[in-house]
Amino acid sequence: MPFSHQLSKPEYALIPGTLAEAQAAIKRSVGQHLRSHFHVKVGITNNPERRWNSHKADGWEKMVVIYKSRCRSDYARLDDVRTLECSIEEHIRSHTYSRSVSYNSRAGGAGRPGSGDQFVYLLLSSAWRKRAPRNVD
């Protein structure tokens, strides 16, 4: 059952441009989100709505979709978002977001890749209400 403070749909705050063009703005955006949310998980998906529906039962307050790969081929799009996911995780670990806790067990996309558009998202929660973890990333 969803918590009353949860958003019903993912929030889209897409940073425009290629990965190289957008990376600095994406890191600033992550920092801003971590100022108001204690818990974070970074993920990739080809279907944000379906992904949010699978995560919100675990107690996440919101999902913010921050990047859509602009690459032309499925392989390049997947490589693009995996690179960004790892970069964001490193950014979180290397900066002193001392209040924030990251819940990524495996960066770079742990599930089976899908085809088509690829997105990077943040799962955020200010108060932790997570149920027992499932084997889904």
Side-chain angles (χ1 to χ4, degrees), residues 44-91:
I44 62 177
T45 185
N46 67 340
N47 188 327
E49 287 77 16
R50 183 181 65 219
R51 200 76 184 115
W52 173 234
N53 286 332
S54 72
H55 281 304
K56 65 184 174 182
D58 289 335
W60 294 99
E61 290 176 11
K62 70 180 189 176
M63 176 180 182
V64 182
V65 182
I66 58 174
Y67 181 73
K68 176 183 174 184
S69 177
R70 308 285 192 266
C71 295
R72 293 179 186 220
S73 74
D74 282 347
Y75 176 79
R77 280 191 296 268
L78 190 56
D79 187 53
D80 200 31
V81 294
R82 284 180 170 163
T83 298
L84 181 56
E85 182 186 23
C86 291
S87 175
I88 293 170
E89 274 297 310
E90 179 60 32
H91 176 70

